[in-house]
Amino acid sequence: MQDNNCIFCKIANGEIPSATLYEDDEFRVILDLGPATKGHALILPKNHYADLYEIDEGTAAKAFVLAKKMVARLTDILGCDGYNVVQNNKEAAGQTVFHFHMHLIPRYKDDKCGFGWKMGKLSDKDKEEILAKLKG
Ligand code: AMP
Ligand code: ZN
């Protein structure tokens, strides 16, 4: 299941060339063209799912297992000091390509990559509201 208008469908299925680090029947792992750090890679499923809301559980599980394998292998190759695994969903969360993908971002001591957020403080009101709504 591909979307004819989706660039990541075309890359994942080899219609557009990419710097491919890994490929199997269901996934392609490529180097990001706008890397946050050296070695920034993307895991792309070959089927089209817009985001985490759409992807089926089996494929999502396999994507994370693949992330674990790639992170282990690339840490050796790149000699990095850690990894961020990032996955954006919907425009509000910074998603710009609407084909599910996972970012594998190698981190190097003092790389000044700037990835992160300003920590807030969990309020009692938010905590109680969320827990109460989850319990239904
Ligand atoms: P996101 O903001 O989570 O949707 O991430 C999209 C990512 O795709 C960005 O990090 C882009 O640099 C990357 N990107 C966009 N087009 C291409 C492309 N043709 N090949 C490789 N990476 C791409
Ligand atoms: Zn697609």
Side-chain angles (χ1 to χ4, degrees):
M1 290 162 297
Q2 289 176 46
D3 176 336
N4 287 336
N5 297 316
C6 172
I7 186 169
F8 277 8
C9 277
K10 293 187 170 70
I11 292 173
N13 290 281
E15 288 167 47
I16 294 178
S18 62
T20 296
L21 304 178
Y22 173 85
E23 184 185 5
D24 62 24
D25 287 350
E26 289 184 78
F27 297 97
R28 184 184 295 269
V29 183
I30 64 167
L31 286 176
D32 193 300
L33 279 187
T37 62
K38 182 180 172 182
H40 181 166
L42 301 172
I43 295 182
L44 312 178
K46 291 188 174 179
N47 283 332
H48 181 85
Y49 312 94
D51 51 36
L52 189 61
Y53 298 96
E54 273 194 10
I55 197 169
D56 65 273
E57 289 184 2
T59 308
K62 284 179 192 166
F64 212 79
V65 171
L66 179 55
K68 177 174 170 56
K69 290 181 176 158
M70 293 304 302
V71 161
R73 178 95 175 92
L74 290 168
T75 296
D76 277 353
I77 290 169
L78 296 165
C80 59
D81 302 302
Y83 253 93
N84 291 119
V85 177
V86 180
Q87 203 277 307
N88 299 325
N89 299 284
K90 310 284 185 195
E91 202 174 340
Q95 187 177 10
T96 59
V97 181
F98 297 91
H99 174 122
F100 176 95
H101 53 280
M102 288 172 80
H103 294 261
L104 307 179
I105 305 177
R107 299 304 304 270
Y108 304 87
K109 264 189 199 110
D110 305 321
D111 63 20
K112 301 192 173 59
C113 164
F115 175 80
W117 56 87
K118 189 172 159 285
M119 267 170 64
K121 186 168 183 338
L122 177 63
S123 67
D124 288 341
K125 180 172 165 295
D126 283 356
K127 183 175 66 184
E128 278 151 27
E129 180 194 317
I130 294 162
L131 294 179
K133 282 183 175 166
L134 262 178
K135 281 177 199 153

